[in-house]
Every structure is written in structure tokens, then in C-alpha cells.
Amino acid sequence: MSLPTIPLLIDGKRVESKSSQWRDVVNPATQEVVARVPFATTEELDTAVASAKAAYKGWRNTSQANRMRVMLRFQQLLREHTGELAELITREHGKTLPDAEGEVGRGLEVVEHACSVASLQLGEYAQNAAGGVDVYTLIEPLGVCAGITAFNFPVMLPCFMFPLAVATGNTFVLKPSEQDPSASLRLAELALEAGLPPGVLNVVHGGPDIANAICDHPDIKAVSFIGSTHVGTHIYRRASEAGKRCQAMMGAKNHCVILPDADREQAINHLLGAAFGAAGQRCMATSVAVLVGEAREWVPELVARARALKVGPGTDRTADLGPVVSKQARARVERLIGAGVEEGAKLLLDGRGHAVKEAPEGNFVGPTIFDEVTAEMSIYRDEIFGPVLCMTGVDTLDEAIAFVNANPNGNGVALFTQDGGAARQFQNEIDVGQVGINLPIPVPVAWFSFTGSRASKLGDLGPNGKQAILFWTQTKTVTARWQARGTGPAGVNTTITLK
């Protein structure tokens, strides 16, 4: 039986790639090869961009009302196909079905926000700003835009990009992760079914060569990237040097600070979920717990409850976490765990070699907890991207803030406390872009921007919210004077003064 092949999506049609380079798409829970994905040729990328460029002429002049109606239909289709999308995510990524359904829900939030494009894309107007002169701004699309996404959220991350981009009048080329492309492709097909004209949204697959070609292509005006720091830094530099607008949301080392007055049950539950959900494969996962003062006494309970978490295939709805995405990912996580032991961290819970009876071939790593971790250790410096929690203890909130601020990354941080004064001090003094108070993963709702900072972000505008509208549009200012009939200029004006 031949394996299904993942098509490209160009000019509104599925296109079988002519590439000679293909990659197996593997179910990480079973090692079953479920499909083959092409690494598109540069000619195929050129065709996709040409289609988007041709479609832009008509799409940018489509009324806001009609673009909004497409988004309204798209959000309805997302609701209707949540189960289908979640199954594709679980099959190729490995996360549990409930987590995959939650991912579709977070993507849906962005599409719902894009339904408000008619009020989001408003300019400004000043009547009679000077004598008989009106000044106003037009919020216009850029043209052909592109997005490059990571494997860990094959639906949510594309939703962080193309819905607002196309709703504001741009056309788009999406390059999803080659590790789990099916859900991203299906998402794009639903957008076309919702009424996007052919060419407005295209999908190409591939690796570094296609990513570089996207950065270099003269007809692409903006590039959005979400993924690792190493790749994101390269994409940002290359796209910027080619004159493109670029945003790159990159790696993280997210901390959770727990004060001893916090609600113990709430804090432990949230910390475990944020550290081990999706097997730790989230850029917003909590990978470091900073326990302040007497909160250190909670460590035995935290370890015992982590040990009780159920590891299993994502299709098991009772599982708390599934496999990591690949054998290579599992090997890397286990190598870093070994490095932590060698560097002197105290290994309280070891997830290496975790066996799951019903899925013996899966890429499983069990919940892993280190204590007495220092800032010099590789398990603290590196983003592990697996179910590994590092813990350290400090005596005061001031020490905790200083410890977090010394880390170069700034994606997210959380504080658990019942002290409003401590929470206010924390949010004012912490140098991290997204802060959670009694909330472990502070990704805001979609009408607020994703505001990771420092080494976690390149570019001054992030996805979602007002910042995304600014990123996907450009402002044109018009200064106009219409002379009343029968009146003429008062004379030649050779100054810069508006008279």
C-alpha cells in the first residue's frame, strides 16, 4: 500500500510536488509512517508567490465587509472541524487529544478577532488641520506576506499569522513544519472553503532551502517566524537584509515563582500542567520553578504528584502527556538530563527510558524534576523542550526577581501568591514580556498582542492584537486641500508653512 503524499496548496488547488526530496511524517507514539511530505522546489515557491501577487490586486480592493464575512465563515468551519484537526495534530505531533482540541480553540480566538477587521483597520482624520487642509491616514496592506512555523502548534501558530494578514488585505504563503504538516494544510483548505479567493493563501512545504528562499524573494514584503532561537535569528537577519519587515518569536526559559502564601493546591496543579503538558514542547512551558522561603517544603508533594501523571499515546484521553515529537528529540532531552546529573543538579524524578505498554515504540520521556539547579548548568541555560522541570530555592521575592531577570530570555513568567502588594511589585520589576499572576502560561487572549521580549523576540511588533495589525499593514498619510470655487491661491508660497 502506497503512502499518502502531502500536496502543496497553490492558487486554490492541491498541487503534487515535483520535488525529488521527500520526508516521512511519523506518528511519534507508534513510529508508523503516516505520510510523505515534499521539500518544495524553488520553482514551486516562485509559482506560489506569483499566485499570491496576482491575487493581491483584487483582494486588497475587496471590501472590509466581505473580508470580514470570510473570517466569520472560517471561524464557523474551525468549530465544525475541531475534532478532525485535533486528530491530525495528535497523529503527527503526539500531544493528547484534549490538548490538541485546546490548541484549535486558541487558534479560533485569533480568527474570531480577525472577524473585527472592519473596526481594527481604521485610520485617523483631522479636518481643517491647516487653512482648508485635511489630513488623514490610510491603513493599507503590504502585499505578499509569508509565515514560517514550528512543529509544536501546527494549527495555533499559523492562526497567529495568516488570519489577520489576509483579513487586512494581504495575500499569504505559509510554510508549516515538515514534521507535522497535515493539520496546517487542512487549516488552509478550510480558509479557502470559507471564501478566500484562489491565490490569497498558499502552502509550501520544505526545510532550510525554502525558508531561505522566502527570506530572499523580492515579491514577499513581510515574514513572520515562530520557532527556535537559532533559526529565528537567521531568518530575522536574512529577511531584514533583504528589506522585508520581519518578526521572530523564538526560544524561552520560562520561570514560575511561588511564594509560601500561595494557594498550595492551585500552585502545584498549575505548575505541573505548565511544565509537563504537551510533553514540555511549548515555547511558553514552565521549565523553571523558583520556590521562595517555606514553599521549598512543597517539593516532596510536587515530585509525588508529578510521578503520578499518566504518560501515554495522545489518543488516550486519560493521558496527561504524550510522546515528544521524534526519536531525535527524545535523544536530545535524555542527553540534557544526563548533563544535568553530571553537572551536579539533584535528580528527584527521572523520566528517561519511560516505557508505555500500549505504545512500546513511542518517543516517550516521563516527567523529570531537578532540584538545586544553578544558572551555570546546561539544563538551565538551554531550552530543553521536553518534560523537564528545573527547581531552585531563594529566600525572598527580591532574590527571585533578580534571578529571573538575569536570564537572557523574556517570553513568559508567572507568580503564585495571595499578596496583592507582592504581585504588584513583581509585575513592575520583572523584565519579561508576558506575566502571569496565579496563572502559569500567560499567553493572552488574541485581541491582546503576544509580547515576549529580550532574547525571546526579534522585531518590535509581535503576533496578535494591535501589534499584529501594525505589523501586517502600512500607514499612508494624505494631506489634501480642496479650494472653494472662485478662490485661488493667495500667492506663491516658497516656505514650508501650510497657509
Side-chain angles (χ1 to χ4, degrees):
M1 181 179 176
S2 61
L3 286 169
T5 56
I6 308 293
L8 312 175
L9 191 63
I10 299 176
D11 202 34
K13 304 180 187 69
R14 285 185 162 221
V15 175
E16 194 72 16
S17 176
K18 293 180 171 58
S19 176
S20 60
Q21 185 180 0
W22 293 71
R23 172 177 175 149
D24 291 342
V25 180
V26 178
N27 183 326
T30 65
Q31 304 307 320
E32 175 193 3
V33 178
V34 296
R36 300 185 73 229
V37 62
F39 280 31
T41 65
T42 53
E43 291 79 13
E44 288 167 338
L45 173 64
D46 289 343
T47 301
V49 174
S51 173
K53 185 177 181 180
Y56 176 65
K57 298 175 183 178
W59 181 245
R60 67 162 295 168
N61 291 317
T62 299
S63 70
Q64 288 182 330
N66 282 336
R67 284 187 258 133
M68 180 178 66
R69 291 183 185 111
V70 172
M71 291 296 109
L72 286 166
R73 176 61 178 149
F74 184 33
Q75 64 88 23
Q76 181 59 38
L77 289 173
L78 272 183
R79 292 180 187 278
E80 294 172 0
H81 291 267
T82 293
E84 176 192 358
L85 290 167
E87 288 176 2
L88 291 172
I89 294 169
T90 296
R91 186 181 69 178
E92 296 180 1
H93 173 279
K95 66 179 65 174
T96 65
L97 279 170
D99 193 21
E101 291 161 356
E103 175 186 339
V104 177
R106 292 310 299 264
L108 178 62
E109 284 182 8
V110 189
V111 178
E112 290 171 335
H113 182 51
C115 293
S116 303
V117 65
S119 59
L120 297 173
Q121 202 172 356
L122 294 176
E124 299 172 316
Y125 190 95
Q127 184 178 7
N128 211 31
V133 173
D134 302 330
V135 181
Y136 53 96
T137 58
L138 308 175
I139 309 302
E140 298 187 333
L142 300 173
V144 180
C145 300
I148 302 169
T149 61
F151 75 89
N152 56 329
F153 288 98
V155 165
M156 188 180 76
L157 298 187
C159 282
F160 275 20
M161 298 178 182
F162 77 78
L164 283 173
V166 301
T168 51
N170 300 286
T171 56
F172 207 85
V173 177
L174 173 68
K175 193 207 86 64
S177 170
E178 65 277 13
Q179 295 189 77
D180 50 3
S182 294
S184 301
L185 178 67
R186 185 67 183 124
L187 179 73
E189 289 179 330
L190 291 174
L192 294 179
E193 185 180 336
L196 287 181
V200 171
L201 177 60
N202 305 271
V203 179
V204 295
H205 309 290
D209 289 344
I210 284 296
N212 286 335
I214 286 172
C215 294
D216 297 341
H217 202 292
D219 289 331
I220 293 176
K221 305 303 181 184
V223 177
S224 179
F225 171 84
I226 302 176
S228 71
T229 297
H230 172 72
V231 178
T233 301
H234 170 79
I235 294 291
Y236 185 84
R237 287 175 177 168
R238 188 155 182 158
S240 297
E241 288 173 357
K244 303 183 192 327
R245 184 176 294 180
C246 189
Q247 61 179 195
M249 310 309 298
M250 306 183 298
K253 202 70 179 179
N254 304 311
H255 298 70
C256 178
V257 177
I258 300 179
L259 298 185
D261 72 328
D263 183 298
R264 182 168 179 157
E265 182 76 9
Q266 179 195 56
I268 291 177
N269 280 339
H270 283 311
L271 176 58
L272 292 175
F276 302 125
Q281 298 173 116
R282 297 169 175 156
C283 68
M284 290 295 292
T286 297
S287 53
V288 183
V290 183
L291 305 179
V292 180
E294 295 175 358
R296 297 275 300 153
E297 299 172 3
W298 303 359
V299 169
E301 180 181 354
L302 197 154
V303 173
R305 292 175 61 176
R307 183 178 284 112
L309 293 175
K310 183 176 180 180
V311 182
T315 51
D316 179 359
R317 286 187 171 272
T318 66
D320 296 298
L321 62 154
V324 294
V325 71
S326 67
K327 288 183 177 181
Q328 294 80 4
R330 178 180 179 177
R332 179 180 181 276
V333 172
E334 293 188 341
R335 175 179 57 78
L336 282 166
I337 294 172
V341 174
E342 292 174 4
E343 293 171 356
K346 188 176 181 180
L347 184 59
L348 303 181
L349 184 61
D350 189 351
R352 292 174 293 182
H354 194 98
V356 174
K357 183 178 179 180
E358 60 271 34
E361 301 300 320
N363 307 318
F364 295 102
V365 181
T368 299
I369 298 178
F370 281 101
D371 199 5
E372 301 178 12
V373 174
T374 67
E376 295 75 30
M377 295 177 178
S378 59
I379 54 172
Y380 181 76
R381 296 194 315 269
D382 296 341
E383 185 178 26
I384 300 174
F385 230 60
V388 180
L389 176 65
C390 298
M391 296 194 301
T392 191
V394 296
D395 294 327
T396 67
L397 176 60
D398 288 338
E399 289 180 70
I401 292 172
F403 183 80
V404 175
N405 284 347
N407 190 282
N409 295 290
N411 224 20
V413 67
L415 173 73
F416 282 83
T417 183
Q418 297 189 68
D419 184 337
R424 186 171 179 81
Q425 177 192 351
F426 186 81
Q427 73 178 34
N428 287 342
E429 296 182 9
I430 207 72
D431 187 15
V432 174
Q434 299 178 113
V435 179
I437 305 296
N438 297 320
L439 182 76
I441 301 180
V443 177
V445 290
W447 46 98
F448 282 79
S449 299
F450 189 98
T451 53
S453 63
R454 296 194 283 150
S456 296
K457 175 184 180 182
L458 287 171
D460 60 342
L461 298 172
N464 295 348
K466 293 179 180 178
Q467 290 189 11
I469 299 297
L470 292 172
F471 181 79
W472 297 118
T473 60
Q474 56 192 341
T475 302
K476 179 185 289 181
T477 304
V478 179
T479 304
R481 170 180 279 156
W482 293 95
Q483 297 284 358
R485 288 188 177 183
T487 64
V492 176
N493 176 18
T494 60
T495 75
I496 63 170
T497 304
L498 283 172
K499 293 183 178 179

